[in-house]
Amino acid sequence: MPIRVGIPRALLYYYYFPLWKEFLERLGAEVVVSDRTTKGILTSGVEHCVDEACLPIKLAFGHVKNLVDKGVDVIFLPRIVSVAQREYICPKFLGFPDMVKQNIPGLPRVLDTTINVRKKQQDIHLFTREVGALFNHGAIKSRLAYLLSMPTHFQYISLLEQGYLPEEAMGILKGKKIKENPVATDLKVAVIGHPYNIYDPFISMNLINRLRKFGAEVITADNLTEQMVNEGVKRLPKKLFWTMSRRMTGGALNLHDRNAVDGIIHVAAFACGPDSMTGELIERYIRRDGKVPFMNINLDEHTGEAGVVTRLEAFLDMLRWRKKAV
Amino acid sequence: MKVTFPHMGYMYVSLKGMLEYLGIDVVVPPACSKKTLTLGVKHSPEFACLPLKLNIGNFIEAKELGADTIMMAGGCGPCRFGYYAYVENEILKDLKVDYNLVVMEPPEKHIGELLGRIRKITGNRPWLQIIKALRFGFLKAKAVDEVEVLSFQIRPRELVRGSTDRALQKAINLIDEAKTTTELTIALERAKELMRVVPAERERPALRVALIGEIYTLLEPYANVNIERHLGQLGVEVDRSMMLSQWVNDHLFMGLVRNIPSSDRFKKVAAPYLNHFVGGHGLETVGSAVWYARQGYDGAIQVLPFTCMPEIVAQSILPKVSAEVDMPIMTLIMDEHSGEAGLITRLEAFIDLLKRKKEQKEALTS
Ligand code: SF4
Ligand code: SF4
């Protein structure tokens, strides 16, 4: 019987799932993903997590709980310290495995090996070795499994850069055909936010699909190349040390500078630390120039869907009206 | 050039001492007040942490007093503080509150970067003098800490309510006024004497409670709604996990100064509850809870600003620590709505709990 390894459909799932899945399968695991977010999953997350945590962490708790209920043998919760040189993810990612272990009862074994390439990219082999050990593979074989999985990761990233969103890109990797958006689009809108906020239809109140239905083409920071992102953040007085926030900020500013979009929607999570800083920077830079309309949406457990829909419609109307006026 | 900096408790005594030692003009912002907070809240992002909001208020108020240069510390993440200065600068820019910003970033490549930034404040003054000034600032921080620690012990035992606070304020002012190292030595002696003569019942036993958590809310009384004073007046002796001189020694002097407790004592005992640093002082907070429990403290109170990331990690782990080390821990989250009345009620309830627990223990062991 292969070891059943559960991966929560939360946090960095949206960047690394194809890579992690293949890597684990090459090591001989059977990979199980938690269900799509539902009210129930969020509620169970909220129950197990401190009130003050941000929405995405609460949701991730819910997904871990979902995996516990599915009876997986191992939960894959790497401690993601850094995925890029001289950068971090948010402090909460650093402590997440411990937060989970001290709060969710009945956990199976947790794989909380550290991923930290802050100093150098090659440090990833520390991670592959430790994960491989769980499956009784030596360092070299584990490393090889990882290297052999990299092409999938690159393919996935290149699909994102071609304009597909994570869900679609993962579909294509599995050989699925992607349906064209049946609605004709006359606007292009950037949606800027943490991947686990904007790509989770439940948490984002289906924001991206709604925009598409309203006739807007959606682009996110993940559809841009690393180079474009870095163009965007060039003007900052100091390097942004959060990988995802750097991508979001750079993406927004690059799209803005190139006049590549008709409007920018920033999606922030309730009580998110980095969002409170970069959201503020993005908004101030964009408003000062005054050439691309900007809207901010705050997500929390209680955000009313109706209110957001009304605001979205009004925003798109305004973009259309502006387009006609010039 | 008129240099200002954000408030954090009595940090101004040390910074002002250091800068004035070099003959640099200093504008100390008015002490944090309702007005500071209102200004800050109005112009800061809603989910920014409380220190950022108060910083903004400090800068606006200092501008009114003629300051033109901000001196601040930097950082390289992962907590927000490392980007504070730049977000604050953008906010001030839009408000047309003009400042020169000098951020003391930890050097990325070589020490020369930091020295260059120091030069922006100190001009061409000789390095030897700058080093002496740093030392002078540090001695002031140590002096302030010494009298503060005395106040922790005296306040719960004072005979006249408020007398400790009055003496403490006088003592701090004496230290603040000292201009040279010799004057400082004398001032510290007199300051300690002022504390010593506060009428108090020295031998009276008191509950001991540790204050742990995020450094700004620990050090800035306005941000923690005077928690030390309230605990003291409720008859509790406090200890604070973080003192200014300790922080300076740990972070700026790489622990070079001996005889100063280091936060390493906390980090060492954080595992198995928290196994990795999480930015800010999250790891120290978890460790300090363990450490104080082992020292026999009756309870601990974690203070943190609303949305503080490292402390939220710690907060979610502390209940488990509390259960295992058998010491009650309360968490107080500070934001612009924190009020004194609410705080006192919660403190009273917590202290009742500690008292009952202590009585039970004593009944069992006697
Ligand atoms: S980046 Fe924001 S949303 Fe993500 S874990 Fe950190 S605080 Fe939460
Ligand atoms: S430690 Fe907490 S309060 Fe301080 S800057 Fe970081 S997030 Fe804000």
Side-chain angles (χ1 to χ4, degrees):
Chain A
M1 274 269 280
I3 302 182
R4 295 174 76 228
V5 179
I7 299 185
R9 197 186 289 270
L11 303 178
L12 291 194
Y13 162 87
Y14 297 94
Y15 282 164
Y16 295 115
F17 179 67
L19 170 66
W20 289 342
K21 176 169 187 285
E22 188 170 335
F23 172 51
L24 291 166
E25 285 176 352
R26 280 180 185 276
L27 293 172
E30 178 191 333
V31 171
V32 179
V33 192
S34 58
D35 297 332
R36 279 172 205 288
T37 304
T38 57
K39 180 97 195 121
I41 289 186
L42 179 58
T43 312
S44 93
V46 169
E47 274 165 17
H48 289 92
C49 191
V50 280
D51 280 348
E52 288 73 20
C54 52
L55 183 65
I57 290 289
K58 289 180 183 161
L59 181 65
F61 265 69
H63 280 279
V64 172
K65 184 73 184 39
N66 181 262
L67 289 169
V68 175
D69 298 343
K70 279 178 187 275
V72 296
D73 304 316
V74 175
I75 296 185
F76 185 70
L77 279 189
R79 188 192 302 277
I80 305 174
V81 176
S82 168
V83 295
Q85 255 160 301
R86 288 176 39 226
E87 291 180 10
Y88 287 105
I89 309 279
C90 155
K92 288 182 203 162
F93 278 71
L94 276 71
F96 187 65
D98 297 299
M99 292 169 80
V100 165
K101 283 200 236 163
Q102 307 296 349
N103 287 287
I104 298 188
L107 280 178
R109 176 159 184 186
V110 172
L111 209 102
D112 60 350
T113 315
T114 301
I115 297 182
N116 185 358
V117 296
R118 184 164 193 273
K119 295 228 174 75
K120 53 181 197 296
Q121 210 60 43
Q122 290 88 322
D123 284 352
I124 195 72
H125 73 256
L126 299 171
F127 163 76
T128 59
R129 191 180 60 203
E130 278 185 55
V131 175
L134 180 77
F135 300 91
N136 294 318
H137 292 310
I140 299 185
K141 185 142 187 247
S142 315
R143 184 137 194 218
L144 196 66
Y146 189 80
L147 290 177
L148 288 174
S149 314
M150 281 312 271
T152 305
H153 180 63
F154 292 136
Q155 207 187 337
Y156 175 65
I157 297 295
S158 110
L159 286 168
L160 295 181
E161 286 173 4
Q162 285 164 41
Y164 295 104
L165 299 184
E167 198 75 14
E168 299 163 340
M170 288 183 206
I172 294 174
L173 286 180
K174 275 196 267 174
K176 269 195 217 151
K177 283 237 166 359
I178 296 302
K179 277 181 271 155
E180 287 289 311
N181 186 6
V183 185
T185 54
D186 60 343
L187 285 176
K188 201 164 175 181
V189 175
V191 174
I192 302 295
H194 277 100
Y196 39 78
N197 291 325
I198 59 179
Y199 301 132
D200 186 318
F202 182 87
I203 289 300
S204 68
M205 291 168 289
N206 214 2
L207 175 71
I208 290 181
N209 287 325
R210 272 185 216 282
L211 285 167
R212 286 176 167 173
K213 233 195 280 155
F214 294 151
E217 188 189 333
V218 172
I219 183 166
T220 72
D222 304 311
N223 298 137
L224 303 180
T225 61
E226 191 68 10
Q227 199 192 348
M228 289 161 140
V229 166
N230 288 335
E231 270 309 302
V233 281
K234 241 193 198 151
R235 81 186 60 178
L236 299 186
K238 169 181 171 183
K239 182 182 160 73
L240 263 173
F241 41 70
W242 301 298
T243 303
M244 282 183 287
S245 306
R246 175 180 55 79
R247 289 197 62 84
M248 286 151 55
T249 313
L253 296 178
N254 175 272
L255 291 166
H256 166 266
D257 296 349
R258 286 192 293 126
N259 279 321
V261 288
D262 300 302
I264 296 179
I265 300 177
H266 181 258
V267 180
F270 178 77
C272 168
D275 280 354
S276 74
M277 306 290 275
T278 52
E280 183 80 5
L281 286 178
I282 297 173
E283 178 162 2
R284 282 183 190 270
Y285 281 130
I286 290 179
R287 289 211 198 279
R288 263 180 222 158
D289 265 10
K291 65 176 187 186
V292 181
F294 178 92
M295 167 172 147
N296 188 45
I297 295 180
N298 261 319
L299 302 174
D300 70 29
E301 296 120 84
H302 319 290
T303 309
E305 220 168 300
V308 172
V309 175
T310 321
R311 284 186 58 209
L312 271 187
E313 284 178 334
F315 186 66
L316 293 188
D317 283 346
M318 188 263 284
L319 297 187
R320 291 208 165 91
W321 173 82
R322 255 181 121 237
K323 224 175 165 171
K324 260 190 235 130
V326 288
Chain B
M1 185 172 62
K2 283 195 160 127
V3 180
T4 191
F5 39 76
H7 264 305
M8 182 165 80
Y10 296 122
M11 183 179 76
Y12 73 92
V13 175
S14 166
L15 280 178
K16 177 173 165 242
M18 176 184 85
L19 292 166
E20 287 186 344
Y21 192 90
L22 291 167
I24 295 168
D25 279 341
V26 176
V27 176
V28 176
C32 290
S33 67
K34 181 94 199 136
K35 182 177 164 222
T36 320
L37 183 62
T38 312
L39 280 169
V41 168
K42 186 165 159 210
H43 301 294
S44 312
E46 184 185 354
F47 293 125
C49 29
L50 185 64
L52 185 140
K53 296 180 182 175
L54 285 165
N55 285 181
I56 290 285
N58 288 152
F59 295 146
I60 297 177
E61 288 184 293
K63 184 82 214 175
E64 287 163 12
L65 299 179
D68 56 22
T69 303
I70 292 173
M71 188 176 88
M72 255 188 98
C76 45
C79 138
R80 269 179 274 191
F81 185 71
Y83 227 80
Y84 254 35
Y86 306 96
V87 171
E88 291 172 356
N89 197 33
E90 297 300 328
I91 296 174
L92 294 173
K93 232 193 244 171
D94 281 341
L95 288 174
K96 306 267 179 304
V97 175
D98 276 337
Y99 268 117
N100 270 324
L101 178 69
V102 182
V103 190
M104 300 297 163
E105 292 287 356
E108 258 170 24
K109 299 211 178 63
H110 52 89
I111 185 83
E113 298 169 59
L114 177 63
L115 299 183
R117 292 187 187 112
I118 295 177
R119 276 269 177 254
K120 284 194 184 159
I121 298 276
T122 61
N124 288 330
R125 292 174 180 85
W127 285 110
L128 184 65
Q129 205 194 341
I130 295 170
I131 291 168
K132 277 189 179 161
L134 274 171
R135 178 167 171 269
F136 185 62
F138 181 68
L139 288 176
K140 282 212 170 182
K142 254 178 65 177
V144 168
D145 287 353
E146 243 181 272
V147 290
E148 273 204 282
V149 169
L150 288 177
S151 79
F152 298 160
Q153 292 150 7
I154 300 169
R155 202 180 279 117
R157 302 176 173 98
E158 68 188 7
L159 294 175
V160 185
R161 196 183 166 91
S163 51
T164 314
D165 288 316
R166 282 190 291 276
L168 178 65
Q169 195 52 58
K170 274 190 214 144
I172 300 280
N173 289 346
L174 279 176
I175 295 169
D176 185 30
E177 281 153 19
K179 294 269 179 291
T180 62
T181 319
T182 331
E183 278 180 39
L184 181 57
T185 317
I186 301 166
L188 178 57
E189 277 320 309
R190 285 182 47 211
K192 286 201 279 197
E193 188 54 36
L194 277 176
M195 299 307 291
R196 241 176 261 131
V197 298
V198 173
E201 218 181 308
R202 305 272 153 181
E203 304 305 318
R204 189 161 75 198
L207 282 173
R208 289 194 305 159
V209 171
L211 293 172
I212 61 178
E214 188 274 335
I215 179 170
Y216 185 90
T217 35
L218 280 177
L219 261 53
E220 174 54 55
Y222 188 78
N224 65 37
V225 243
N226 297 311
I227 190 168
E228 284 169 7
R229 180 189 307 157
H230 294 305
L231 281 170
Q233 295 186 343
L234 289 167
V236 174
E237 181 180 321
V238 300
D239 190 38
R240 201 202 284 149
S241 62
M242 180 65 67
M243 302 302 285
L244 186 59
S245 57
Q246 170 196 328
W247 183 85
V248 172
N249 189 34
D250 281 351
H251 294 263
L252 301 183
F253 299 166
M254 314 293 171
L256 285 176
V257 184
R258 307 272 160 205
N259 311 327
I260 295 223
S262 151
S263 55
D264 280 347
R265 67 193 195 279
F266 302 145
K267 286 191 220 162
K268 277 190 214 138
V269 293
Y273 305 102
L274 180 56
N275 297 292
H276 200 280
F277 97 100
V278 293
H281 294 99
L283 185 65
E284 285 89 332
T285 300
V286 171
S288 61
V290 178
W291 192 85
Y292 280 109
R294 290 186 186 162
Q295 301 286 315
Y297 273 71
D298 299 295
I301 300 177
Q302 181 202 18
V303 288
L304 65 143
F306 181 55
T307 78
C308 171
M309 303 182 284
E311 293 299 329
I312 286 174
V313 175
Q315 183 197 353
S316 55
I317 291 170
L318 285 178
K320 196 62 173 280
V321 177
S322 168
E324 287 190 17
V325 299
D326 193 27
M327 175 182 76
I329 303 175
M330 172 167 79
T331 289
L332 290 175
I333 295 163
M334 303 300 177
D335 67 9
E336 51 260 42
H337 311 295
S338 307
E340 217 133 359
L343 177 83
I344 296 174
T345 322
R346 291 199 56 192
L347 291 180
E348 283 173 344
F350 185 63
I351 290 161
D352 273 348
L353 170 90
L354 299 185
K355 270 191 200 139
R356 257 179 289 131
K357 198 162 179 294
K358 193 168 190 163
E359 281 163 11
Q360 275 171 8
K361 236 193 223 158
E362 276 162 8
L364 281 175
T365 48
S366 64

